[in-house]
Amino acid sequence: ETGVTQSPTHLIKTRGQQVTLRCSSQSGHNTVSWYQQALGQGPQFIFQYYREEENGRGNFPPRFSGLQFPNYSSELNVNALELDDSALYLCASRVGGQYGYTFGSGTRLTVV
Amino acid sequence: TQLLEQSPQFLSIQEGENLTVYCNSSSVFSSLQWYRQEPGEGPVLLVTVVTGGEVKKLKRLTFQFGDARKDSSLHITAAQPGDTGLYLCAGYTGTASKLTFGTGTRLQVTL
């Protein structure tokens, strides 16, 4: 059991639409990060939340936004979808102060 | 921009062979993590190294963090088909609260 659950597993959206991806972390994991992984590449850091506040952000435009909730769940919102947003989106969580992250299995987003 | 370059990108070897994967950067990281990812799954943490020069062993896998904390290596002894996967190094920068992943090394071990 990975302890991190993502939904949905697969999603197809049309260019210009908006999407919300969800993540449920292990109890006590107060730090959650989101990553975008294109095919054949390493994950790219989107942003990180600690105790419901964003405390780190990668080189992604503002149309990528997120929320973290008190029940250790979080969501990634992407507005005005572009074809290049097609990727595997990964959620990862950890206990603040520890090093390693636990990843979910990801949501495969296809934008057509 | 912090970049982590991994080499080689692809590696196809036979069972029983040894191999080394390298992870290099011009940036200093507070810690370096290694993950393995299989198709359709998220990365799974193998090890975290924190101190420059640190060496950690996990069964047949040996991980080393460079003295300057800019590079790392992963050595696998007597590779097995179960070692097949995408190996990713990732450097953590505490000040930016950011984990930067490397470009990945895809390993295939055949019988």
Side-chain angles (χ1 to χ4, degrees):
Chain A
E1 180 187 12
T2 64
V4 177
T5 305
Q6 292 188 241
S7 63
T9 55
H10 296 83
L11 197 55
I12 299 175
K13 304 291 279 187
T14 303
R15 188 171 49 183
Q17 286 188 314
Q18 177 266 342
V19 68
T20 297
L21 309 182
R22 293 182 171 82
C23 173
S24 178
S25 302
Q26 287 180 240
S27 178
H29 280 207
N30 53 17
T31 301
V32 65
S33 302
W34 284 88
Y35 298 82
Q36 180 195 68
Q37 186 175 25
L39 206 58
Q41 297 182 19
Q44 297 294 310
F45 175 75
I46 301 175
F47 46 59
Q48 176 167 285
Y49 280 80
Y50 173 66
R51 292 185 174 178
E52 302 163 49
E53 290 198 9
E54 184 180 298
N55 72 340
R57 190 174 183 92
N59 295 325
F60 281 81
R63 60 189 184 85
F64 286 78
S65 63
L67 286 171
Q68 184 186 24
F69 303 102
N71 64 352
Y72 305 110
S73 66
S74 64
E75 60 183 42
L76 163 66
N77 299 287
V78 187
N79 293 321
L81 283 167
E82 301 177 358
L83 297 179
D84 285 348
D85 295 334
S86 295
L88 179 69
Y89 287 85
L90 295 162
C91 166
S93 69
R94 65 176 181 139
V95 175
Q98 291 190 354
Y99 292 109
Y101 287 80
T102 301
F103 280 80
S105 297
T107 293
R108 173 72 61 189
L109 173 66
T110 302
V111 182
V112 297
Chain B
T1 303
Q2 297 171 312
L3 292 174
L4 276 167
E5 296 287 339
Q6 287 185 237
S7 61
Q9 281 187 290
F10 301 97
L11 198 52
S12 181
I13 61 173
Q14 291 190 318
E15 183 180 20
E17 292 185 32
N18 301 332
L19 66 117
T20 301
V21 177
Y22 299 94
C23 172
N24 294 295
S25 175
S26 57
S27 302
V28 175
F29 295 100
S30 56
S31 69
L32 201 293
Q33 302 169 19
W34 284 91
Y35 291 82
R36 186 173 75 195
Q37 185 178 22
E38 300 192 29
E41 299 293 329
V44 175
L45 180 67
L46 297 174
V47 78
T48 300
V49 284
V50 179
T51 306
E54 183 176 2
V55 177
K56 278 192 175 179
K57 291 191 175 183
L58 185 66
K59 296 183 180 179
R60 295 175 294 101
L61 279 60
T62 302
F63 305 86
Q64 185 165 8
F65 200 11
D67 290 340
R69 291 187 289 134
K70 294 181 180 181
D71 54 82
S72 181
S73 64
L74 157 61
H75 182 78
I76 301 179
T77 304
Q80 299 177 358
D83 296 327
T84 294
L86 178 67
Y87 287 82
L88 296 159
C89 64
Y92 185 74
T93 307
T95 51
S97 297
K98 177 180 175 179
L99 193 63
T100 300
F101 276 88
T103 47
T105 294
R106 190 164 298 280
L107 171 65
Q108 181 168 13
V109 183
T110 57
L111 294 171

